[in-house]
Amino acid sequence: MKMKTKLSPKIAVGALLLGCLVGWSARAGDVNQIWDTKCAACHGKDGKGQTKMGRKLDIKDLTDAKFQASFTDADAVKAIKEGMTDKAGKETMNAFGDKLSDDDIKALVAHARSLK
C-alpha cells in the first residue's frame, strides 16, 4: 500500500519556486556558455565588440543603450536565426537558426539586452 505524503501549501509553493530558480539558473548558465562559444569571438565577453574580428566587422557596442534602442527583440531574433550580411552581400554574422533552439535564441537576446 502506497502512502501519500501531504505537503503544506507553503512547502509546495517553496518547492515550486525553488524548481523555477534552479531551472532559471541552469538556463542562465546555458546562455553564458552559448554566448562564450558562439558570440564572444566577435561581440566580446562584455558585448563591446572590441575583439579582433569585432573591429574588422565594425560590430556595434551592445553595452550602448542608444544602439540597443535601434533594434527590436524581433530584429535580434531574426539576426541570430538568419545571420547577417553587409551591403555587398558578404556574411558578417553566422546564422544559428539550425544550431540553437528558439528558447536559446530568446535567452541570447535577453542576455544581449542585459549588457546595456
Side-chain angles (χ1 to χ4, degrees):
M1 176 167 110
K2 287 186 178 181
M3 292 183 63
K4 292 185 179 181
T5 303
K6 285 194 170 193
L7 295 176
S8 75
K10 286 182 182 180
I11 292 173
V13 170
L16 179 63
L17 290 174
L18 179 61
C20 290
L21 289 173
V22 168
W24 179 82
S25 177
R27 188 64 157 158
D30 291 346
V31 75
N32 288 332
Q33 181 181 5
I34 294 168
W35 181 269
D36 290 349
T37 60
K38 307 239 185 273
C39 309
C42 297
H43 290 281
K45 282 191 174 253
D46 61 2
K48 292 182 183 258
Q50 294 302 305
T51 64
K52 183 177 179 181
M53 188 58 75
R55 286 188 291 276
K56 179 179 178 183
L57 296 173
D58 192 30
I59 290 180
K60 304 299 182 213
D61 182 354
L62 289 170
T63 67
D64 179 7
K66 186 175 178 182
F67 173 66
Q68 287 249 1
S70 73
F71 63 92
T72 66
D73 287 358
D75 294 333
V77 166
K78 183 177 180 188
I80 295 167
K81 282 187 173 189
E82 299 176 10
M84 295 180 69
T85 58
D86 63 15
K87 291 179 183 177
K90 182 181 177 209
E91 183 179 71
T92 57
M93 184 172 131
N94 295 330
F96 294 100
D98 62 342
K99 296 173 183 71
L100 298 172
S101 71
D102 286 346
D103 286 344
D104 288 337
I105 292 170
K106 288 177 190 173
L108 280 173
V109 172
H111 178 76
R113 292 292 192 195
S114 76
L115 298 172
K116 67 178 176 183

